[in-house]
Amino acid sequence: MQISRTIKMMQFTKENNKGSTFYFYEYKNIVMGFTEIGSEIEDVGEYLRTDRIVQLEQVHGNTIHFSGNTNGRPDGDGIILNENSVLAVIRTADCVPLFFWSEDGREAGAIHVGWRGLHSGIGINLLNIMKERGINLKELVFFTGPAIEGKCYTVQQDVVDKFKGFNFTDKIFEKTSEGYSMDVTYGIELCLTEHGVPKENINHSWICTFCDPRFPSYRHGDREKRIFNFIKIK
């Protein structure tokens, strides 16, 4: 397998459908991507010929659902696809959308990770589920979509205190004049590698939602607007 090469060669295609603008990447039987501000996920679903769209009532926790077991919008922050032609959707506006899929294209999904999700161990929960399903973590590919960069994300001492005892605490926080900057994306990477995922299997969009006007940012005042981060097994 050449997972690291596969990731580095990722090319996103920009598409428009009924006024919605989105970017997507295809690999084997996997398609995943994210929308610009003002887009509708139904337009993406139509373009990708999706049978069903699965979304959650995101609660900043660590619960992960299988798409085939969802009715309505259950509380949770992760979706594992166990059906073809179903679009799993995670909504974000600064938090990190973490996509994952297996090299053979049989497993795929996405989780929503903010500082609360990182603290509650949603990434570890995902890895445990994958191992229970007999998936070798070295065969999983990860990608973080648009999210606020660490340098743009300020938190206070109370958040830092919650991460005392974590192995990567000193690496994701940096003291500033306004409190502490926090790099959630780097925290996710460190969490994954600490639990057996090769670093070369993890790639990032490096798009900062706070800096890039194409995408909504909660910290910039976009309280209602969201990026739709989507993934599908064809």
Side-chain angles (χ1 to χ4, degrees):
M1 291 186 302
Q2 308 227 350
I3 292 178
S4 61
R5 206 184 85 170
T6 298
I7 296 175
K8 290 176 182 177
M9 292 178 65
M10 287 175 70
Q11 297 291 326
F12 281 87
T13 300
K14 184 176 181 178
E15 190 55 69
N16 294 277
N17 188 42
K18 294 186 176 180
S20 294
T21 301
F22 51 96
Y23 303 82
F24 66 93
Y25 163 78
E26 295 182 272
Y27 175 71
K28 292 187 177 178
N29 63 327
I30 301 294
V31 57
M32 51 78 69
F34 42 86
T35 63
E36 284 191 6
I37 197 168
S39 299
E40 300 293 338
I41 191 59
E42 290 78 12
D43 296 339
V44 179
E46 178 184 279
Y47 181 86
L48 296 177
R49 298 181 180 179
T50 301
D51 292 340
R52 186 164 66 95
I53 297 173
V54 176
Q55 299 191 64
L56 304 174
E57 194 63 44
Q58 296 171 196
V59 294
H60 296 274
N62 62 7
T63 300
I64 300 172
H65 295 273
F66 287 93
S67 63
N69 300 332
T70 58
N71 292 307
R73 286 196 186 187
D75 290 352
D77 289 274
I79 303 170
I80 297 173
L81 288 166
N82 58 353
E83 309 164 275
N84 292 347
S85 298
V86 171
L87 201 66
V89 178
I90 294 295
R91 303 180 308 281
T92 58
D94 281 341
C95 288
V96 182
L98 178 64
F99 299 96
F100 60 91
W101 63 92
S102 58
E103 175 66 9
D104 61 12
R106 295 181 181 178
E107 302 284 339
I111 62 176
H112 160 246
V113 192
W115 74 257
R116 292 176 180 84
L118 181 63
H119 180 264
S120 65
I122 190 170
I124 299 171
N125 191 18
L126 172 64
L127 297 183
N128 287 336
I129 293 172
M130 290 292 101
K131 287 190 288 186
E132 289 172 2
R133 290 169 65 80
I135 307 300
N136 185 335
L137 299 187
K138 294 182 179 180
E139 297 178 359
L140 284 176
V141 181
F142 292 86
F143 179 82
T144 63
I148 192 168
E149 288 184 341
K151 66 181 181 180
C152 298
Y153 185 45
T154 300
V155 298
Q156 301 305 315
Q157 186 67 51
D158 62 319
V159 176
V160 180
D161 290 343
K162 292 180 186 298
F163 283 85
K164 286 183 178 178
F166 283 63
N167 293 334
F168 52 78
T169 302
D170 293 342
K171 298 179 181 178
I172 65 172
F173 293 102
E174 184 175 339
K175 190 76 174 71
T176 70
S177 59
E178 299 178 348
Y180 293 85
S181 63
M182 181 181 185
D183 194 334
V184 177
T185 298
Y186 189 36
I188 293 169
E189 179 179 311
L190 293 172
C191 178
L192 293 176
T193 56
E194 180 182 314
H195 289 86
V197 176
K199 184 177 180 179
E200 60 267 25
N201 290 25
I202 307 168
N203 200 23
H204 309 286
S205 67
W206 300 127
I207 296 172
C208 178
T209 49
F210 190 81
C211 298
D212 194 323
R214 293 177 299 169
F215 304 99
S217 168
Y218 192 88
R219 285 287 175 116
H220 249 171
D222 295 320
R223 303 297 168 133
E224 304 298 329
K225 299 173 183 177
R226 295 292 183 270
I227 300 169
F228 294 105
N229 305 277
F230 55 88
I231 188 164
K232 168 188 169 185
I233 299 175
K234 298 178 185 176

